């Protein structure tokens, strides 16, 4: 499948921050625009103006479901991945109806999960267990088995880490959780559209997908809710989205997510993930060859095909990127009032604060080319040796 050039990337720096957000694919934009103009009706309306929005919403739901092997009626549209995670976590905890339910997650989860867990602890008295990870950022299924108790209602472990791309052993973890009667939620924001995901094979009960990580606009996401799983709604009111998220549906954004899911499925069949992985590894080789002994890789070999988290010894990550303005990428560290804080993901993997502050995340995507990889490698080598 031929991917047309993206106009937003034509004159800017080489974009290597696809894990932060993706450009909206022009084909996705074209699919959603009619639902901001001609097809303005409420999909719940019984008259002619509601017919096309209703049809489009159903088609979008089917496309999203197809990407992960779900049934259309198992897909709930939300306004963000964070909201989808909240619906999964809070929804499962409250629906369980237990006085002090236990939730288990792990140390390198996205803040949308970790902060939701903390809120459940404060608001509802939930007991939260945060499992450690190994040097590759992975959870040991045996550690999960040891942490499970009869009052555990939910386990939440992401599919792929947003900083390192590490792929968690989700099927094994889900099977362990189910042995003790706990539900399993998986935040697949980074994985959806990049690697094959099939909810039955994964064994998950709940799975989060996010539009702006897969070339749809910001402000739309979805939660797979396996048939038979009871959740407390995140928004009360009407019967939209199986009664789990009341409010008139944003048909345009749902259509955008459906179109994005369809494009990702077609690209996967066309071999794009393998081509992206080859470009990622080429970038890594160029840097390692030009900076012998200085380039460290963070994360396992089995990771997202587009993600390269590295450090160049002796150079802070922020300083490296500042010296390479021709590249748009990110570090895992944060800066508050001039004080830099190392990535919690990398420190949880055992890196020292100093080593973690040297990290940069280079994430490739649909429009990354061989030429851009060569330009990025040259710019980073110059920045590291200048």
């Amino acid at each position: 499948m031929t991917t047309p050039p993206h106009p937003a990337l034509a004159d800017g720096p080489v974009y290597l921050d696809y894990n932060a957000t993706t450009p909206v694919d022009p084909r996705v934009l074209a699919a959603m625009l009619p639902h901001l103009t001609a097809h303005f009706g409420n999909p719940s309306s019984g008259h002619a103006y509601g017919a096309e929005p209703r049809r489009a919403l159903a088609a979008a739901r089917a496309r999203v479901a197809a990407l992960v092997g779900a049934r259309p009626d198992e897909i709930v549209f939300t306004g963000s991945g964070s909201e989808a995670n909240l619906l999964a976590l809070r929804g499962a905890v409250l629906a369980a109806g237990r006085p002090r339910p236990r939730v288990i997650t792990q140390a390198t989860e996205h803040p949308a999960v970790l902060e939701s867990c903390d809120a459940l602890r404060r608001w509802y008295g939930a007991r939260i267990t945060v499992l450690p990870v190994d040097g590759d950022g992975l959870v040991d299924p045996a550690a999960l088995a040891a942490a499970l108790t009869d009052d555990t209602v939910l386990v939440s472990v992401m599919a792929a880490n947003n900083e390192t791309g590490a792929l968690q052993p989700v099927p094994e973890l889900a099977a362990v959780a189910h042995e003790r009667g706990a539900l399993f939620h998986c935040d697949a924001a980074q994985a959806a559209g990049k690697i094959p995901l099939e909810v039955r094979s994964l064994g998950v009960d709940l799975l989060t997908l996010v539009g702006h990580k897969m070339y749809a606009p910001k402000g739309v996401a979805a939660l797979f809710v396996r048939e038979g799983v009871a959740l407390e709604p995140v928004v009360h009111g009407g019967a939209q989205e199986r009664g789990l998220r009341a409010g008139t549906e944003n048909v345009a954004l749902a259509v955008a997510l459906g179109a994005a899911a369809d494009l990702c499925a077609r690209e996967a069949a066309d071999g794009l993930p393998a081509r992206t992985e080859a470009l990622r590894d080429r970038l890594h080789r160029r840097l390692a060859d030009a900076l012998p002994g200085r380039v460290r890789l963070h994360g396992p070999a089995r990771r997202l095909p587009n993600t390269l988290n590295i450090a160049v010894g002796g150079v802070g990550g922020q300083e490296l990127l500042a010296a390479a303005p021709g590249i748009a990428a990110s570090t895992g560290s944060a800066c508050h009032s001039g004080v830099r804080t190392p990535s919690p993901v990398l420190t949880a993997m055992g890196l020292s604060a100093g080593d973690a502050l040297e990290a940069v995340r280079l994430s490739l995507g649909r429009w990354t080319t061989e030429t851009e990889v060569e330009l990025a490698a040259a710019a980073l080598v110059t920045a590291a040796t200048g």
Side-chain angles (χ1 to χ4, degrees), residues 4 25 33 44 54 101 113 146 199 213 254 319 335 357 365 373 375 384:
D25 193 298
L33 276 178
S44 296
R54 186 164 53 252
V113 167
V199 291
K213 305 296 188 182
E319 289 78 9
C335 185
L357 285 170
V373 164
L375 289 172

Side-chain angles (χ1 to χ4, degrees), residues 35-59:
H35 299 278
L36 295 172
T37 54
H39 305 310
F40 66 89
N42 189 322
S44 296
S45 297
H47 50 65
Y49 287 100
E52 177 55 24
R54 186 164 53 252
R55 183 210 63 78
L57 186 63

Side-chain angles (χ1 to χ4, degrees), residues 77-86 208-212 219-222 245:
F77 288 116
T78 68
S80 67
S82 295
E83 183 192 336
N85 288 340
L86 179 63
T208 297
L209 304 93
V210 178
H212 79 100
V220 65
R245 203 231 188 202

Side-chain angles (χ1 to χ4, degrees), residues 267-329:
E267 283 181 335
D270 196 42
L272 180 64
R275 292 195 294 274
T276 303
E277 183 173 357
L279 289 174
R280 179 203 69 188
D281 292 345
R282 179 173 180 167
L283 177 57
H284 189 191
R285 285 195 305 272
R286 290 288 187 269
L287 295 172
D289 290 346
L291 302 167
R294 294 182 63 189
V295 178
R296 302 191 309 271
L297 174 66
H298 302 139
R302 182 176 176 271
R303 62 189 191 276
L304 289 175
N306 78 315
T307 304
L308 180 63
N309 190 305
I310 58 167
V312 176
V315 184
Q318 292 186 359
E319 289 78 9
L320 182 68
L321 294 180
I327 300 170

Side-chain angles (χ1 to χ4, degrees), residues 57-345:
L57 186 63
R61 202 181 304 278
R63 282 179 152 185
V64 174
L67 182 65
V68 295
R71 295 197 337 235
D73 62 359
E74 294 176 311
I75 297 298
V76 176
F77 288 116
T78 68
S80 67
S82 295
E83 183 192 336
N85 288 340
L86 179 63
L87 174 57
L89 273 68
R90 177 183 175 275
V93 164
L94 296 189
R98 300 186 187 178
R100 294 197 65 206
R102 185 178 301 279
V103 176
I104 299 177
T105 186
Q106 56 92 25
T108 65
E109 284 295 312
H110 192 277
V113 167
L114 293 174
E115 293 298 321
S116 290
C117 286
D118 187 59
L120 290 170
R121 177 188 59 80
R122 290 184 284 108
W123 296 345
Y124 305 110
R127 288 171 290 176
I128 308 300
T129 298
V130 180
L131 298 176
V133 296
D134 64 17
D136 286 330
L138 302 179
V139 176
D140 184 351
L144 173 59
L148 284 161
T149 58
D150 290 339
D151 57 1
T152 304
V153 300
L154 181 72
V155 176
S156 182
V157 177
M158 60 178 22
N161 187 264
N162 49 299
E163 292 187 30
T164 68
L167 299 175
Q168 295 287 354
V170 171
E172 294 85 352
L173 295 170
V176 169
H178 290 156
E179 287 176 1
R180 294 298 294 269
L183 295 174
F184 193 92
H185 166 249
C186 183
D187 181 348
Q190 289 294 343
K194 296 173 185 168
I195 60 172
L197 292 175
E198 208 284 328
V199 291
R200 314 300 173 193
S201 299
L202 291 172
V204 299
D205 304 290
L206 302 153
L207 183 131
T208 297
L209 304 93
V210 178
H212 79 100
K213 305 296 188 182
M214 47 192 287
Y215 309 99
K218 302 168 186 66
V220 65
L223 180 69
F224 158 75
V225 183
R226 181 178 57 78
E227 182 185 14
V229 172
L231 297 178
E232 177 71 16
V234 71
V235 180
H236 295 271
Q240 296 93 346
E241 301 305 310
R242 292 171 48 184
L244 295 175
R245 203 231 188 202
T248 303
E249 302 93 341
N250 191 324
V251 177
L253 286 180
V255 167
L257 183 56
D262 187 58
L263 285 172
C264 286
R266 290 161 56 195
E267 283 181 335
D270 196 42
L272 180 64
R275 292 195 294 274
T276 303
E277 183 173 357
L279 289 174
R280 179 203 69 188
D281 292 345
R282 179 173 180 167
L283 177 57
H284 189 191
R285 285 195 305 272
R286 290 288 187 269
L287 295 172
D289 290 346
L291 302 167
R294 294 182 63 189
V295 178
R296 302 191 309 271
L297 174 66
H298 302 139
R302 182 176 176 271
R303 62 189 191 276
L304 289 175
N306 78 315
T307 304
L308 180 63
N309 190 305
I310 58 167
V312 176
V315 184
Q318 292 186 359
E319 289 78 9
L320 182 68
L321 294 180
I327 300 170
S330 64
T331 69
S333 61
C335 185
H336 305 284
S337 301
V339 178
R340 291 177 187 169
T341 304
S343 159
V345 169

